[in-house]
Amino acid sequence: MDKKTERIKYLADRYLEGQTDAEQEKELAEMLGSIHKDNLPDGLSAVAAMLRGFKAVREEKIQGPWDVAHSTIQARRDKKRHTRLKRIITAVALPAVAAAAAAVILSGRTIYGYDSEGRPITDPEKALAHAECLQMLSGLEESLRIADGVAGMLGHTAQDRATEAGSQEHARQK
């Protein structure tokens, strides 16, 4: 018999006689838990099963009457809070929507767009002029982009010619 098996049997005997402390019981439970059920030494499967059962009972949370009452009270509070919140939202949101609708209806203005500062444009002629201006700026931006590309190609070509001329001059000097 190896030392581990001897230690397990020693602790199990003491445990069954009620002579172990908490530390020894923990050691016994860990040792028995590390061994597969089929490989337990003779007569220790009952002790292992008993320790597993006690562990399960310790870890089990039993819901008593207080817990049930507490969860019921909490559910009622949550429901009241939710109802109160709905009333507040309704009390605030409905007048705000009504005020916005009234402002739009009473103003009688049609908004055709917004200027660069975010103000509404209500004059159709001003909105059209604004749109034409934006269209021209867009076309100008495209023209500038094309011009930059052409200038880059021309500048690069001129630079290539200058470099080539310099190399030819250098070759003649040798």
Side-chain angles (χ1 to χ4, degrees):
M1 204 183 313
D2 65 336
K3 287 189 176 193
K4 184 176 181 180
T5 306
E6 286 179 24
R7 178 72 178 162
I8 292 173
K9 283 188 175 190
Y10 170 75
L11 288 173
D13 289 340
R14 288 184 50 94
Y15 177 75
L16 291 173
E17 293 170 6
Q19 296 177 356
T20 54
D21 59 14
E23 211 172 284
Q24 290 173 330
E25 290 174 16
K26 182 178 176 185
E27 180 185 357
L28 178 61
E30 287 175 1
M31 291 174 87
L32 287 173
S34 68
I35 300 173
H36 192 272
K37 293 177 186 178
D38 298 334
N39 298 334
L40 283 172
D42 293 335
L44 294 180
S45 59
V47 175
M50 190 167 44
L51 289 172
R52 282 194 305 273
F54 289 151
K55 181 181 179 188
V57 168
R58 274 194 310 271
E59 292 175 352
E60 185 177 312
K61 180 171 168 70
I62 299 171
Q63 193 172 23
W66 167 251
D67 296 324
V68 173
H70 178 71
S71 62
T72 304
I73 291 168
Q74 188 63 38
R76 286 181 185 160
R77 284 182 185 158
D78 291 345
K79 186 175 180 181
K80 283 181 182 178
R81 190 175 301 126
H82 180 71
T83 304
R84 197 174 321 132
L85 186 60
K86 277 187 358 185
R87 287 182 190 150
I88 290 171
I89 289 172
T90 303
V92 171
L94 284 179
V97 169
V104 169
I105 292 170
L106 294 176
S107 71
R109 294 192 212 165
T110 303
I111 298 175
Y112 295 99
Y114 296 91
D115 64 10
S116 59
E117 295 176 5
R119 293 181 299 227
I121 300 173
T122 55
D123 181 18
E125 291 177 19
K126 187 175 179 183
L128 184 60
H130 186 71
E132 289 173 351
C133 179
L134 289 175
Q135 191 174 12
M136 284 192 292
L137 285 174
S138 177
L140 179 62
E141 182 180 7
E142 180 66 20
S143 298
L144 287 173
R145 190 181 61 74
I146 292 170
D148 281 344
V150 170
M153 288 190 304
L154 291 176
H156 185 66
T157 305
Q159 183 179 5
D160 287 344
R161 282 192 224 139
T163 304
E164 189 177 308
S167 356
Q168 289 173 357
E169 183 64 33
H170 182 66
R172 274 186 262 168
Q173 290 177 357
K174 287 186 179 182

